[in-house]
Amino acid sequence: MIGLLIASLVFSELCKHYNAFRLIGWGMAIFMVSSVGCGFANSFWTLLVCRIIMGAGEASIINLTGPFIDDVAPPSQKTLWFGILYLFPTVGIAVGYIFGGVIGASMGWRMPFLIQAAVCVPVVLWLFLVQPISLRTMHDDEEEAHTDLSAPLLGSEAAPPAAVVNSLWGDICILCRHPVFLYSSLGYCPVQGAFGVYSYFGPQAGHELFGVGRESIDLTFGGVTIVTAVVATLLGGWALDRVGSSIKNAMLLNGESMHGMPRLHDSWTALPVNVSKPGL
């Protein structure tokens, strides 16, 4: 998360000065190389550094794929398209439970990292070799007409580092004064925090409370997460397109979906074992 948080700001600003399509390629390449590093790590600190760099590479994908969807998605289906796009991180985490549990148990914990890097190779080559696509949202029509699609890997709009830093700082100051951004971020943080807690403690609690094997727990949590994520994300995107894609409607739908949280809390507190006891 350290690399992801820091690099998200960097890649978001760089796409104003360099070709966003090529930046995704560089992010994927960083992710691939650091995944190999994780597979061959010989100490905790080496593994930690490689994981931080993996997050930095992932930031380009998370931040820059959305604007491409915004460019090409039909207005009446834009929310659904975004829902499908952001479905994949959750599904990827769920598949990671299954993939890591099965491969790790049979071939060791290093092999999932190496397989992941191998899968990235054709994607990285494609991103570097095809003609780069320019974001319409980052250029006006006149600039777009003169964009060189066979530009160098880093794009044709290079800017000095000082200009990039100053522009980034200016954008951060604007965002910090924007109430919609601030309130949305404050509301989104605890949701993601809760998801992280469930992701970490859920399998552990299932193993300790019910005596289920860790491999079975990984498969179960992965399967449940995939099904619920697919259904909820697609249903939410479809519903928002139906009622009207606006921040107000999105917040109302999100509030309705949170009605199930008290029932989830009641089900956990009704368990005969205290999940907060030491050693769990």
Side-chain angles (χ1 to χ4, degrees), residues 109-206:
W109 65 269
R110 298 179 185 272
M111 189 55 63
F113 288 108
L114 300 178
I115 295 176
Q116 179 176 257
V119 172
C120 291
V121 171
V123 180
V124 171
L125 293 176
W126 178 75
L127 288 168
F128 280 151
L129 295 178
V130 301
Q131 289 185 332
I133 304 171
S134 294
L135 285 171
R136 292 199 300 268
T137 52
M138 300 302 299
H139 308 277
D140 57 32
D141 295 336
E142 182 178 354
E143 289 176 331
E144 185 69 21
H146 293 85
T147 299
D148 180 12
L149 294 182
S150 59
L153 293 182
L154 282 178
S156 57
E157 301 177 12
V164 176
V165 173
N166 291 334
S167 179
L168 174 60
W169 178 249
D171 289 343
I172 292 175
C173 292
I174 293 174
L175 287 175
C176 290
R177 295 193 297 266
H178 199 293
V180 174
F181 172 80
L182 292 177
Y183 291 140
S184 298
S185 299
L186 290 175
Y188 192 62
C189 285
V191 173
Q192 289 299 103
F195 182 74
V197 170
Y198 292 138
S199 298
Y200 180 79
F201 287 107
Q204 187 176 355

Side-chain angles (χ1 to χ4, degrees), residues 49-91:
V49 170
C50 289
R51 287 289 291 164
I52 293 174
I53 298 174
M54 282 182 69
E58 183 184 352
S60 72
I61 307 166
I62 292 178
N63 284 275
L64 302 181
T65 50
F68 283 104
I69 296 295
D70 191 46
D71 270 357
V72 302
S76 61
Q77 298 179 349
K78 187 166 291 189
T79 306
L80 180 60
W81 283 45
F82 274 108
I84 295 173
L85 172 66
Y86 291 113
L87 166 69
F88 287 99
T90 304
V91 172

